[in-house]
Amino acid sequence: MDKKIIRSAVIAFFAAIICATSFFRIPIPGLVSGIVIQNAMCVLTAVILGGIWGAAPVALFFFVGVLGLPVFSGGQGGFQVLMNINGGFRIGWVVGALVAGLISGIPSVTEKYFSAKYIARITLAVFAGMLALYLPEVFYVIAFKSSEMGVAGAIKFFVTAFFAPFLLVDFIKAVIVVLLALKLRPVAAQYLYE
């Protein structure tokens, strides 16, 4: 079977998995988003598939959600989800996946999967992708809160309301993603790129 057809099916499959994770959400009082696993799934998908192909399922998931399907956490969908203070996270999923995919690179069957260099690259890709998820949200918080708090106050609000509360949770998610990626990347290399 043609690798392009298989790759297209895998992209659609991973986009569907990311959509399905919208139902897994732990609500936290005072926070709109709560704890979600979609961000970890976006980075995991990117590292498994590697390169720009890694960001393709996340981009597909993002555009389907923006078009109106309720695939974002909490059953949200539509363009209006980008117009609130948490909208930057949805854009961040694509940015984080692109960063993680580009750093991890396209998997190859010739890679030495348990060398220190390989493990370090995958770990860097995952943690950089998880941090890149937050980058668009910084600008969203500044845009929404700078008029009442100033830019410095908005940045402080971002750190205290969005970044710091999730730092430990996202660290744990990143460690799990690294372990899963180390196990699943060789499979992707064998069936999608060999």
Side-chain angles (χ1 to χ4, degrees):
M1 186 175 263
D2 187 16
K3 295 287 184 186
K4 290 181 181 179
I5 295 171
I6 294 172
R7 201 173 300 138
S8 298
V10 168
I11 287 169
F13 174 74
F14 275 114
I17 288 176
I18 296 168
C19 291
T21 60
S22 70
F23 300 107
F24 300 102
R25 181 174 165 260
I26 301 170
I28 296 178
L31 294 175
V32 175
S33 63
I35 297 174
V36 297
I37 62 170
Q38 280 183 319
N39 57 354
M41 285 305 300
C42 291
V43 172
L44 176 62
T45 298
V47 174
I48 290 172
L49 298 179
I52 292 180
W53 289 112
V58 181
L60 177 61
F61 150 74
F62 173 77
F63 286 118
V64 164
V66 169
L67 289 176
L69 288 176
V71 297
F72 296 134
S73 61
Q76 299 176 352
F79 190 75
Q80 75 276 4
V81 298
L82 299 177
M83 298 299 132
N84 64 33
I85 196 164
N86 286 334
F89 283 122
R90 278 118 180 139
I91 296 169
W93 291 336
V94 178
V95 172
L98 188 59
V99 167
L102 291 176
I103 292 173
S104 66
I106 294 179
S108 169
V109 293
T110 61
E111 288 179 310
K112 296 180 182 177
Y113 292 112
F114 295 103
S115 69
K117 184 178 177 182
Y118 175 77
I119 293 170
R121 188 177 83 233
I122 298 305
T123 303
L124 174 65
V126 169
F127 280 91
M130 291 296 281
L131 284 174
L133 293 167
Y134 286 94
L135 189 58
E137 184 61 19
V138 172
F139 297 110
Y140 263 72
V141 171
I142 290 172
F144 276 89
K145 294 289 186 178
S146 63
S147 63
E148 62 186 76
M149 316 180 151
V151 173
I155 292 172
K156 183 178 178 183
F157 176 75
F158 166 78
V159 170
T160 58
F162 294 103
F163 188 69
F166 296 111
L167 198 55
L168 177 62
V169 173
D170 281 348
F171 177 80
I172 293 168
K173 286 192 270 187
V175 169
I176 293 168
V177 167
V178 168
L179 295 174
L180 288 171
L182 289 173
K183 188 72 174 169
L184 295 173
R185 258 177 81 87
V187 176
Q190 182 179 1
Y191 291 105
L192 298 177
Y193 298 108
E194 182 54 29

